[in-house]
């Protein structure tokens, strides 16, 4: 005859032991040292510290018959000795099973108000979701918190929260939970007004003295009077005759977006691959690739003959469709599934790429782009994208300190 099976957690009497009070070293060790005298098993533990106050919850099996009263008295005496409060609740079994569907909801606020937090939480409930855990990812340069949500599928939750985020003026990202979140990723960014603060064609135009004419062509393109390729050729033609030495000047004028170096440095430490695609020019993106240690870079190329810009571009045109095509190419070369890619951009020219990626992030984008992307970031710090990947500010700073 086989040995009898031990009772399953659902059948076992359990005690929920909750400790509240001022945090200090040794509280967790002290509680479990106290419980150890009663031969209980640990079923679950949760602990959180906020502004120096600790809430420690331990779910343990009930002690042998006749000892529960003594356990309660001992735990309360131990807590009193530390000027803390204790609460002990009897029950049966473990936590109830989480509902099907797992998502991480990241909320960014500058500041994050109680009103917006309440509205996001209410909308999660409206979709049938349950908030299982909340924790803070960062307190600056924005407040970022993450909700672990179960009981609803990711896509309908993302749709519902996107509408709420637009109404509230906060940034909300919803990604599916699972092992893939920790897998290797490929991050591909637009360059102009995303990785850098500038529009490269405008920097060249300033040296050519044709800023106003370039602006007119850009406006025509935005109005739908010209497609991207037509507007690219029209603007580059205005640079004809410019001395090639201006390339070095433009490179020196390029200003990285705040947080760009932190974002790329941290992604590389995580083992991610990082690339850029641009409707701008390789004369700038190749330099950025070298300076920032990027894995991939592709853009249009200004033709230079006899030390002068000819007013033409050479090679494959990087336009809206081209950016999505390059995202797929980079993913193939990196050996990363397309669903594990993240694309970041600000303009309509980035929409195909944002939609093709596993996660498309509209960065300080125009309304049409924000509405079409999976999520939007509307603060001027590019490294806030890290929070959407579950990376905390403390982890970033710790890595920087360790490396230094």
């Amino acid at each position: 005859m086989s040995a009898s099976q031990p009772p399953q957690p659902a059948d076992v009497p359990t005690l929920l032991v909750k400790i509240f009070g001022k945090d200090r070293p040794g509280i967790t060790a002290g509680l479990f040292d106290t419980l150890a005298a009663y031969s209980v098993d640990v079923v679950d533990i949760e602990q959180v510290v906020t502004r120096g106050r600790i809430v420690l919850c331990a779910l343990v099996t009930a002690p042998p018959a006749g000892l529960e009263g003594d356990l309660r008295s001992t735990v309360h005496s131990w807590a009193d000795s530390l000027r803390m409060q204790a609460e002990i609740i009897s029950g049966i079994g473990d936590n109830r099973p989480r509902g099907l569907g797992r998502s991480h909801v990241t909320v960014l606020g500058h500041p994050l108000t109680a009103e917006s937090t309440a509205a996001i939480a209410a909308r999660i409930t409206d979709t049938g979701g349950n908030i299982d855990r909340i924790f803070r990812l960062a307190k600056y340069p924005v407040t970022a918190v993450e909700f672990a949500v179960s009981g609803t599928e990711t896509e309908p939750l993302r749709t519902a929260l996107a509408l709420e985020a637009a109404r509230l003026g906060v940034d909300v990202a919803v990604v599916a939970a699972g092992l893939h979140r920790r897998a290797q990723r490929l991050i591909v960014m637009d360059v102009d007004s995303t990785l850098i603060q500038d529009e490269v064609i405008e920097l060249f135009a300033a040296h050519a003295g044709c800023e106003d004419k370039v602006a007119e062509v850009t406006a025509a393109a935005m109005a739908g009077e010209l497609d991207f390729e037509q507007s690219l050729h029209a603007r580059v033609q205005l640079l004809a005759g410019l001395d090639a030495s201006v390339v070095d000047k433009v490179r020196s004028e390029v200003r990285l977006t705040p947080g760009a170096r932190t974002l790329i440095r941290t992604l590389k430490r995580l083992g991610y691959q990082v690339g850029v695609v641009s409707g701008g020019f390789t004369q700038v993106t190749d330099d950025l690739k070298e300076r920032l240690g990027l894995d991939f870079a592709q853009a249009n190329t200004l033709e230079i003959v006899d030390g002068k810009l000819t007013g033409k571009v050479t090679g494959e045109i990087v336009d809206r469709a081209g950016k999505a095509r390059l995202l797929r190419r980079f993913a193939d070369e990196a050996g990363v599934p397309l669903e594990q890619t993240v694309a970041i951009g600000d303009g309509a020219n980035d929409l195909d790429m944002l939609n093709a990626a596993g996660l498309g992030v509209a960065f300080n984008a125009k309304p049409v782009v924000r509405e079409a992307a999976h999520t939007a970031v509307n603060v001027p710090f590019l490294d806030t994208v890290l929070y959407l990947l579950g990376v905390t500010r403390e982890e970033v700073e710790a890595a920087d300190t360790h490396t230094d």
Side-chain angles (χ1 to χ4, degrees), residues 1-5:
M1 177 181 282
S2 62
S4 61
Q5 294 294 319

Short mmCIF file of all heavy atoms in Angstrom, two decimals, residues 1-5:
data_model
loop_
_atom_site.label_atom_id
_atom_site.label_comp_id
_atom_site.label_asym_id
_atom_site.label_seq_id
_atom_site.Cartn_x
_atom_site.Cartn_y
_atom_site.Cartn_z
N MET A 1 0.86 -1.19 0.00
CA MET A 1 0.00 0.00 0.00
C MET A 1 0.90 1.24 0.00
O MET A 1 1.85 1.33 0.75
CB MET A 1 -0.91 0.00 1.23
CG MET A 1 -1.78 1.26 1.32
SD MET A 1 -2.82 1.26 2.79
CE MET A 1 -4.09 0.14 2.24
N SER A 2 0.56 2.18 -0.85
CA SER A 2 1.38 3.40 -0.92
C SER A 2 1.07 4.29 0.26
O SER A 2 -0.01 4.25 0.84
CB SER A 2 1.08 4.15 -2.23
OG SER A 2 -0.27 4.55 -2.27
N ALA A 3 2.07 5.12 0.56
CA ALA A 3 1.89 6.07 1.67
C ALA A 3 0.81 7.07 1.31
O ALA A 3 0.62 7.43 0.15
CB ALA A 3 3.21 6.78 1.95
N SER A 4 0.08 7.53 2.30
CA SER A 4 -0.98 8.51 2.04
C SER A 4 -0.37 9.83 1.61
O SER A 4 0.72 10.21 2.03
CB SER A 4 -1.82 8.71 3.30
OG SER A 4 -1.01 9.21 4.34
N GLN A 5 -1.07 10.53 0.71
CA GLN A 5 -0.59 11.81 0.22
C GLN A 5 -0.77 12.89 1.28
O GLN A 5 -1.77 12.89 2.01
CB GLN A 5 -1.39 12.21 -1.04
CG GLN A 5 -1.15 11.29 -2.23
CD GLN A 5 0.27 11.38 -2.74
OE1 GLN A 5 0.82 12.47 -2.81
NE2 GLN A 5 0.89 10.24 -3.03
#
